[in-house]
């Protein structure tokens, strides 16, 4: 009897233990939230005097974007005009770029007291033009930059140690020969896939050819090309000339699947800048485009999407944050004498979240209304950080304003606004330590 009782108690204990293990393993599953998690951080607000994309650049450090205060620029902030470009790499506490002088690679800090040059690394074999290159981080201190050479026949690459500001290695790829094309786009796009230690370099034969683009899969350790894939649809990748120095054109989800924005030319429009967007995918550990996926095809009513994708970020929960240029969607009045048909310097940019599995896009709202439509297409006013999506608007009827979307709760709050008279081009976050 005692043995039976003992065995019963042991079985019950094992059942309880098993239940506890199952519960713990479920609770320990990683949360699917995009972006970085950084505790100590401040924000840099980038503006130009006058309209968006002006020529005089000011940057101001602020501790919060959620306080409903007005960020002012009168006799405050850092004037970087002629010193740095807004097309710049941001990582941790520092900014990195080939400065306007075009003679080195530099490491900088931007403070409200002024610009600090931390280090400058002169070029060795490969040389790069200011804001005409792409980049990817292999880890927190190893950076790879790439661009085409002067003849646009080869792709140059340089691997840098940004902690010591030294060149680890450099080389070139003869991509015109390997791809059977006669020229390369200026910079292309570069991503790093951690799951298999691959750099993925995207390029095309022309910024406006609309006959597809290529992806070179590179072993990040040996810097040898393992395969070149070709997306042959009548598209051009969304970024060709400026890398991702200002705008995010691709994003990895938390499973290391890569999503890249591309655009078709709109039939009947005179300018090649009038485009409508689609999203393509390369799955984890694969070295080709996913032929079964093409995103951002239809709006919620079922009408084919006609907006041009400007920026893309992974929000988490199988969703992408997109900024879209679409005059018709934004209610821009079309002037028959306007050759751009509303695609010029109008308030024709909106933000939406795209659900990847269903391909349904939904505009971000605040207080039951869509966020204000913005002016300025060459801008990056959004990012994902610490479980929140920060969205900057540059509207016509009010001051530029930042909205903050909480991914976990699905709630939107209205944050800081920016002093009138300044164009709002970019927001970045900077680690404080």
């Amino acid at each position: 009897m005692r043995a039976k009782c003992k065995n019963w108690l042991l079985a019950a204990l094992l059942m309880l233990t098993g239940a506890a293990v199952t519960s713990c393993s479920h609770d320990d599953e990683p949360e699917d939230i995009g972006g970085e998690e950084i505790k100590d951080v401040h924000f840099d607000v980038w503006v130009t005097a006058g309209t968006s994309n002006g020529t005089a650049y000011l940057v101001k450090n602020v501790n919060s974007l959620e306080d409903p205060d007005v960020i002012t620029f009168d006799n405050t902030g850092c004037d970087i005009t002629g010193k740095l470009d807004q097309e710049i790499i941001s990582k941790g506490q520092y900014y990195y770029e080939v400065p306007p002088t075009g003679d080195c690679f530099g490491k900088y800090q931007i403070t409200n007291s002024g610009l600090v040059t931390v280090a400058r690394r002169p070029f060795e074999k490969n040389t790069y033009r200011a804001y005409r290159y792409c980049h990817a981080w292999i880890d927190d201190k190893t950076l790879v930059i790439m661009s085409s050479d002067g003849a646009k026949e080869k792709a140059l690459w340089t691997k840098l140690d940004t902690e010591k500001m030294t060149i680890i290695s450099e080389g070139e790829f003869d991509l015109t020969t390997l791809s059977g094309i006669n020229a390369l786009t200026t910079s292309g796009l570069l991503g790093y896939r951690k799951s298999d230690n691959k750099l993925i370099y995207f390029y095309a034969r022309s910024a406006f050819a609309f006959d597809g683009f290529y992806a070179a899969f590179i072993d990040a350790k040996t810097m040898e090309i393992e395969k070149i894939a070709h997306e042959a649809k009548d598209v051009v990748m969304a970024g060709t000339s400026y890398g991702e120095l200002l705008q995010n054109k691709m994003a990895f989800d938390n499973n290391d699947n890569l999503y890249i924005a591309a655009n078709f030319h709109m039939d009947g429009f005179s300018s090649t800048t009038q485009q409508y967007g689609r999203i393509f995918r390369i799955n984890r550990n694969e070295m080709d485009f996913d032929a079964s996926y093409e995103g951002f095809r239809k709006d919620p009513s079922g009408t084919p999407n006609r907006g041009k994708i400007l920026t893309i970020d992974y929000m988490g929960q199988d969703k992408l944050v997109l900024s879209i240029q679409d005059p018709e969607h934004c209610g821009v009045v079309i002037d028959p004498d306007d050759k751009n048909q509303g695609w010029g310097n109008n308030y024709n940019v909106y933000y939406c979240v795209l659900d990847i599995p269903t391909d349904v896009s939904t505009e971000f709202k605040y207080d039951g209304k869509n966020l204000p439509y913005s002016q300025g297409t060459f801008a990056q006013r959004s990012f994902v950080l610490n479980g929140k999506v920060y969205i900057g608007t540059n509207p016509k009827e009010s001051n530029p304003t930042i909205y903050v979307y909480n991914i976990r709760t699905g709630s939107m709050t209205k944050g800081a606004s920016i002093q009138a008279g300044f164009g709002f081009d970019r927001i970045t976050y900077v680690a404080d330590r």
Side-chain angles (χ1 to χ4, degrees):
M1 183 70 179
R2 286 181 181 177
K4 289 183 179 180
C5 184
K6 184 176 180 181
N7 290 340
W8 181 87
L9 288 172
L10 180 60
L13 182 61
L14 287 172
M15 288 176 66
L16 288 171
T17 304
V21 170
T22 302
S23 177
C24 287
S25 63
H26 177 75
D27 292 342
D28 290 344
E29 289 180 2
E31 189 177 17
D32 186 11
I33 299 293
E36 293 188 287
E37 292 284 336
I38 305 177
K39 291 182 179 180
D40 300 307
V41 64
H42 71 264
F43 304 90
D44 284 354
V45 179
W46 298 62
V47 300
T48 51
T51 60
S52 177
N53 301 145
T55 56
Y57 295 118
L58 298 173
V59 182
K60 185 169 183 177
N61 311 146
V62 296
N63 291 325
S64 174
L65 297 174
E66 299 187 46
D67 296 333
D69 298 327
V70 177
I71 300 172
T72 61
F73 285 85
D74 290 335
N75 301 314
T76 183
C78 180
D79 186 349
I80 62 166
T81 309
K83 303 170 187 174
L84 295 180
D85 299 296
Q86 66 170 347
E87 299 88 2
I88 197 169
I89 301 167
S90 175
K91 180 73 169 178
Q93 301 179 62
Y94 304 102
Y95 290 98
Y96 304 87
E97 78 162 16
V98 176
T101 54
D103 58 350
C104 69
F105 190 74
K107 179 177 182 177
Y108 308 92
Q109 283 185 308
I110 299 175
T111 74
N112 288 335
S113 300
L115 175 66
V116 178
T117 300
V118 179
R120 291 164 66 91
R121 172 73 252 177
F123 296 135
E124 291 183 2
K125 177 183 177 182
N126 292 339
T127 61
Y128 298 86
R129 295 168 58 194
Y131 58 81
R132 289 290 198 276
Y133 52 94
C134 58
H135 72 284
W137 292 92
I138 293 177
D139 53 43
D140 286 341
K141 68 175 186 177
T142 307
L143 175 67
V144 177
I145 58 174
M146 290 184 66
S147 79
S148 62
D149 62 3
K152 295 188 177 182
E153 295 176 350
K154 297 180 180 181
L156 308 178
W157 63 266
T158 300
K159 187 182 290 188
L160 296 139
D161 181 327
T162 59
E163 188 174 74
K164 300 176 182 177
M165 284 300 286
T166 56
I167 295 175
I168 300 171
S169 57
E170 57 183 334
E172 61 184 35
F173 299 121
D174 188 357
L175 290 179
T176 51
T177 300
L178 293 173
S179 311
I181 56 180
N182 56 16
L184 302 175
T185 40
T186 305
S187 64
L189 299 173
L190 186 63
Y192 174 67
R193 192 166 65 187
K194 185 177 180 180
S195 57
D196 58 358
N197 198 33
K198 294 286 189 298
L199 289 161
I200 308 175
Y201 180 59
F202 296 95
Y203 60 98
R205 71 174 182 87
S206 170
F208 300 113
F210 295 98
D211 57 3
F213 60 101
Y214 300 83
F217 295 83
I218 304 164
D219 185 301
K221 183 177 181 181
T222 64
M223 293 304 291
E224 297 289 332
I225 294 178
E226 296 187 354
K227 183 180 178 181
I228 294 176
H230 183 207
E231 173 51 71
K233 293 186 177 71
D234 295 332
V235 296
V236 64
M237 59 189 186
T240 55
S241 298
Y242 302 97
E244 287 186 305
L245 298 175
L246 177 60
Q247 295 180 295
N248 297 338
K249 302 296 187 179
M250 59 183 173
F252 285 93
D253 66 17
N254 289 339
N255 291 319
D256 240 5
N257 303 306
L258 184 151
Y259 295 85
I260 182 168
N263 289 299
F264 291 82
H265 181 231
M266 298 186 73
D267 294 335
F269 285 79
S270 58
S271 171
T272 52
T273 62
Q274 293 157 327
Q275 305 166 15
Y276 65 94
R278 293 292 184 264
I279 297 170
F280 297 95
R281 179 169 66 196
I282 296 175
N283 292 316
R284 173 190 175 100
N285 295 334
E286 296 292 329
M287 289 194 288
D288 208 343
F289 293 91
D290 181 354
S292 69
Y293 179 80
E294 187 176 316
F296 195 63
R297 294 182 62 86
K298 295 181 180 180
D299 68 13
S301 69
T303 304
N305 275 317
R306 300 288 283 176
K308 177 181 179 181
I309 299 175
L310 302 176
T311 64
I312 175 173
D313 291 281
Y314 184 65
M315 187 180 89
Q317 303 173 349
D318 267 346
K319 293 176 171 61
L320 297 168
V321 176
L322 307 178
S323 66
I324 308 294
Q325 181 188 24
D326 189 338
E328 183 176 357
H329 179 93
C330 296
V332 174
V333 176
I334 303 299
D335 181 353
D337 296 324
D338 178 9
K339 294 182 180 180
N340 284 322
Q341 292 291 291
W343 289 78
N345 200 27
N346 289 295
Y347 294 84
N348 55 21
V349 177
Y350 73 97
Y351 289 89
C352 69
V353 56
L354 179 73
D355 183 72
I356 296 169
T358 64
D359 202 39
V360 173
S361 60
T362 307
E363 273 193 79
F364 282 103
K365 296 179 182 293
Y366 169 71
D367 200 20
K369 298 179 181 178
N370 295 332
L371 298 189
Y373 299 138
S374 295
Q375 178 256 4
T377 58
F378 192 48
Q380 179 77 42
R381 306 186 193 101
S382 62
F383 58 79
V384 183
L385 176 71
N386 294 335
K388 297 176 180 179
V389 183
Y390 293 82
I391 301 171
T393 61
N394 207 33
K396 184 176 183 179
E397 304 297 338
S398 61
N399 288 12
T401 303
I402 297 166
Y403 296 82
V404 183
Y405 179 80
N406 188 305
I407 298 171
R408 294 179 177 89
T409 64
S411 60
M412 179 76 79
T413 57
K414 190 175 184 179
S417 61
I418 293 170
Q419 178 184 0
F422 291 89
F424 180 23
D425 291 323
R426 184 171 191 172
I427 44 176
T428 53
Y429 57 88
V430 181
D432 288 328
R433 59 181 181 178

